[in-house]
Amino acid sequence: MKSNTAEQSESSQRRGSSSMVTRARTITDEMILGLIHDHAPDICAGGTLSTDTDLWEAGMDSLSSVTVVVAVEEEYDVVFPDELLTREVFSSAAAIAAAVRGLIH
Protein backbone atom coordinates (compact mmCIF):
# COMPACT_ATOMS: atom_id res chain seq x y z
CA MET A 1 0.00 0.00 0.00
CA LYS A 2 1.30 3.45 -0.99
CA SER A 3 1.73 6.18 1.52
CA ASN A 4 -0.33 9.33 1.19
CA THR A 5 2.87 11.26 0.38
CA ALA A 6 3.77 8.86 -2.46
CA GLU A 7 0.27 9.16 -3.92
CA GLN A 8 0.44 12.96 -3.74
CA SER A 9 3.83 12.95 -5.44
CA GLU A 10 2.56 10.73 -8.29
CA SER A 11 -0.52 12.91 -8.69
CA SER A 12 1.64 16.02 -8.80
CA GLN A 13 3.90 14.46 -11.45
CA ARG A 14 0.89 13.56 -13.62
CA ARG A 15 -0.44 17.11 -13.33
CA GLY A 16 2.99 18.51 -14.15
CA SER A 17 3.22 16.35 -17.24
CA SER A 18 -0.27 17.36 -18.32
CA SER A 19 0.58 21.00 -17.67
CA MET A 20 3.67 20.74 -19.88
CA VAL A 21 1.62 19.28 -22.74
CA THR A 22 -0.94 22.06 -22.39
CA ARG A 23 1.84 24.66 -22.25
CA ALA A 24 3.47 23.21 -25.37
CA ARG A 25 0.18 23.46 -27.26
CA THR A 26 -0.26 27.10 -26.26
CA ILE A 27 3.07 28.25 -27.71
CA THR A 28 2.09 29.78 -31.01
CA ASP A 29 4.08 30.93 -33.98
CA GLU A 30 2.81 34.45 -33.26
CA MET A 31 4.23 34.34 -29.73
CA ILE A 32 7.68 33.57 -31.13
CA LEU A 33 7.26 36.33 -33.70
CA GLY A 34 6.50 38.73 -30.85
CA LEU A 35 9.73 37.73 -29.10
CA ILE A 36 11.65 38.35 -32.31
CA HIS A 37 10.07 41.81 -32.65
CA ASP A 38 10.88 42.61 -29.00
CA HIS A 39 14.42 41.26 -28.80
CA ALA A 40 15.79 41.54 -32.34
CA PRO A 41 14.01 44.47 -33.98
CA ASP A 42 16.79 44.83 -36.55
CA ILE A 43 15.46 41.68 -38.24
CA CYS A 44 12.15 43.46 -38.76
CA ALA A 45 13.69 46.70 -40.01
CA GLY A 46 13.20 45.75 -43.66
CA GLY A 47 9.44 45.34 -43.38
CA THR A 48 6.70 43.29 -41.82
CA LEU A 49 7.47 39.74 -40.79
CA SER A 50 5.02 36.87 -40.88
CA THR A 51 5.41 33.61 -39.01
CA ASP A 52 6.74 31.99 -42.21
CA THR A 53 9.14 34.77 -43.25
CA ASP A 54 12.68 33.50 -43.75
CA LEU A 55 14.45 35.28 -40.90
CA TRP A 56 17.87 35.01 -42.54
CA GLU A 57 16.61 36.68 -45.71
CA ALA A 58 14.89 39.31 -43.54
CA GLY A 59 18.23 40.32 -42.04
CA MET A 60 19.00 37.94 -39.19
CA ASP A 61 22.72 37.51 -38.65
CA SER A 62 24.77 35.49 -36.18
CA LEU A 63 24.43 38.09 -33.41
CA SER A 64 20.67 38.48 -33.76
CA SER A 65 20.26 34.70 -33.97
CA VAL A 66 22.00 34.34 -30.59
CA THR A 67 19.70 37.07 -29.23
CA VAL A 68 16.66 35.12 -30.44
CA VAL A 69 17.96 31.84 -28.99
CA VAL A 70 18.54 33.41 -25.57
CA ALA A 71 15.18 35.21 -25.59
CA VAL A 72 13.29 32.01 -26.44
CA GLU A 73 15.20 29.93 -23.91
CA GLU A 74 14.53 32.44 -21.15
CA GLU A 75 10.87 33.00 -22.04
CA TYR A 76 9.95 29.30 -22.23
CA ASP A 77 12.49 27.86 -19.77
CA VAL A 78 14.04 25.54 -22.35
CA VAL A 79 17.57 24.86 -23.53
CA PHE A 80 18.16 24.13 -27.18
CA PRO A 81 20.45 21.11 -27.56
CA ASP A 82 23.30 21.53 -30.02
CA GLU A 83 21.50 19.50 -32.71
CA LEU A 84 18.68 22.09 -32.77
CA LEU A 85 20.98 25.10 -33.09
CA THR A 86 20.76 25.09 -36.86
CA ARG A 87 19.93 27.59 -39.54
CA GLU A 88 16.90 25.48 -40.47
CA VAL A 89 15.39 25.46 -36.95
CA PHE A 90 15.84 29.23 -36.75
CA SER A 91 14.65 29.93 -40.29
CA SER A 92 11.23 31.29 -39.25
CA ALA A 93 9.07 31.98 -36.23
CA ALA A 94 6.98 28.93 -37.17
CA ALA A 95 10.06 26.67 -37.22
CA ILE A 96 11.26 28.02 -33.86
CA ALA A 97 7.81 27.53 -32.31
CA ALA A 98 7.70 23.92 -33.53
CA ALA A 99 11.11 23.26 -31.98
CA VAL A 100 10.07 24.79 -28.65
CA ARG A 101 6.85 22.75 -28.59
CA GLY A 102 8.96 19.65 -29.22
CA LEU A 103 11.30 20.51 -26.34
CA ILE A 104 8.45 21.07 -23.90
CA HIS A 105 6.42 18.05 -24.89
Side-chain angles (χ1 to χ4, degrees):
M1 183 169 199
K2 293 183 184 177
S3 72
N4 192 25
T5 304
E7 288 175 3
Q8 288 173 343
S9 177
E10 285 179 16
S11 176
S12 176
Q13 288 174 349
R14 283 192 301 271
R15 281 194 310 272
S17 177
S18 174
S19 174
M20 286 176 45
V21 170
T22 300
R23 188 170 146 222
R25 288 184 187 147
T26 62
I27 296 172
T28 65
D29 301 355
E30 290 76 14
M31 293 166 77
I32 300 297
L33 190 59
L35 280 177
I36 294 166
H37 279 285
D38 292 345
H39 295 277
D42 52 316
I43 298 173
C44 312
T48 304
L49 296 181
S50 74
T51 58
D52 293 322
T53 299
D54 184 306
L55 298 175
W56 298 98
E57 288 182 13
M60 185 159 70
D61 58 21
S62 58
L63 180 58
S64 56
S65 70
V66 170
T67 301
V68 170
V69 169
V70 170
V72 171
E73 287 183 333
E74 289 179 354
E75 180 71 19
Y76 297 106
D77 195 27
V78 296
V79 175
F80 286 100
D82 289 345
E83 61 269 12
L84 290 182
L85 295 174
T86 66
R87 191 175 181 103
E88 182 178 283
V89 169
F90 288 86
S91 63
S92 68
I96 298 167
V100 172
R101 287 189 296 267
L103 289 172
I104 292 174
H105 189 265

